[in-house]
Amino acid sequence: MSGGITLARHIMTKSATALPVADLALIMERIELIATRITRELALAGLDGLGYTGETNVQGEKVKKLDQWGNKVFLDAFEHGYPVCSLISEEMDEPHHYSSNCRDNSYCILYDPIDGSSNTDVNGSLGTIFAVKKRAPRHGSGIDDILVPGTKQVIAGYILYGPAAQLVYSAGAGVDIFTLDRILGEFILWKENVKMPPHGSTYAVNQGNAGKWHDGARKFVAHITSRKDKRTSYSLRYCGAFAADFHRCLLEGGIFMYPAEVAEGGKPKGKLRLMYELAPLSMLAEQAGGRGSTGKERILELAATAIHERHPIYIGSAEEVALAESFNVEG
Ligand code: AHM
Ligand code: MG
């Protein structure tokens, strides 16, 4: 631990952030509260019963009890969350607005409350992913100002619930990582201005779907798994939680990918959502010196046309992402 520097104190020392430090502090105070509530719940989740609610969300996926509960934690926290007035969630069909928080200087938070929810029933790693964008003055009920590309994100981050809970975020001035001291209830600085290694030795992908990918994606994986020398051989590491798989790339380098599935019955644009999964982690990757790509385009330059829009992703070390692109992984 870096001498017990709390998140709140560290924020006050930040400069060159994409939003005023006072706004950053107010928003991150809410995120910290959410992170501690979810961490506490997960520690006891096995006692209270997990599983599905019996409902299906807007994207046709079965809803886990924890997904719904996690969404409510955000709604509760941001009810008192000025300067955030709008919420866009994986678990809500439409944006949610708190008009009492809407002034000229307000923000939207976009989030996946429980990332990797298939891990809930097996005590596997989970995450929470979030991004923050500034709302246009007098934005009214439209959301055109939120659908803008990820280059306009002013904060991006995730919480990883592993053996320890960690909070990773960037406000445009580097990537910092904090670890929750569960006794103090405080996130304490662990690593500052983290840089992703330009090259790694692991790849993360659901290889069970390989038969549905473009040829290029299959050839890329065949290429990185066919070589024997230490410098160019790769091991597979896949947790089923994007935040957890990305965390390994951030710290050790390598690549995470969720390709498009072109075969009949596949997911033609991949599984992961642009605004609250791909764009936030791409901002973190770039801030750390890595890259986030659809295989053809920089993720951060994509404007959304709908709030739950999906795209394929290749994210991680600059070297591996460039190698993937060179195989025309997306045709
Ligand atoms: P979720 O938000 O419903 O949990 O779905 C997102 C998760 C990611 O965390 C993970 O990378 C991916 O889905 C795993 O999908 P699959 O089971 O198809 O490999
Ligand atoms: Mg989810």
Side-chain angles (χ1 to χ4, degrees), residues 57 59 61-62 64 67 90-91 112-119 125-127 129 204-209 238-246 256-258 261 267 271-273 276-277 310 313:
N57 71 13
Q59 299 160 69
E61 298 161 341
K62 289 196 280 181
K64 292 257 180 184
D67 288 325
E90 177 177 324
E91 303 304 332
D112 177 1
I114 304 291
D115 162 61
S117 32
S118 74
N119 285 352
S125 290
L126 296 164
I129 304 178
V205 67
N206 184 340
Q207 210 154 339
N209 294 330
Y238 192 66
C239 304
F242 185 25
D245 285 317
F246 177 81
F256 170 93
M257 50 196 268
Y258 208 110
E261 297 170 1
K267 303 181 264 306
K271 178 178 182 188
L272 302 178
R273 275 74 29 146
Y276 44 80
E277 292 174 321
R310 300 169 199 256
I313 185 160

Side-chain angles (χ1 to χ4, degrees), residues 43-71:
L44 302 172
L47 296 174
D48 287 344
L50 296 166
Y52 296 97
T53 60
E55 291 166 27
T56 302
N57 71 13
V58 62
Q59 299 160 69
E61 298 161 341
K62 289 196 280 181
V63 176
K64 292 257 180 184
K65 288 178 191 161
L66 215 51
D67 288 325
Q68 241 174 30
W69 177 85
N71 190 50

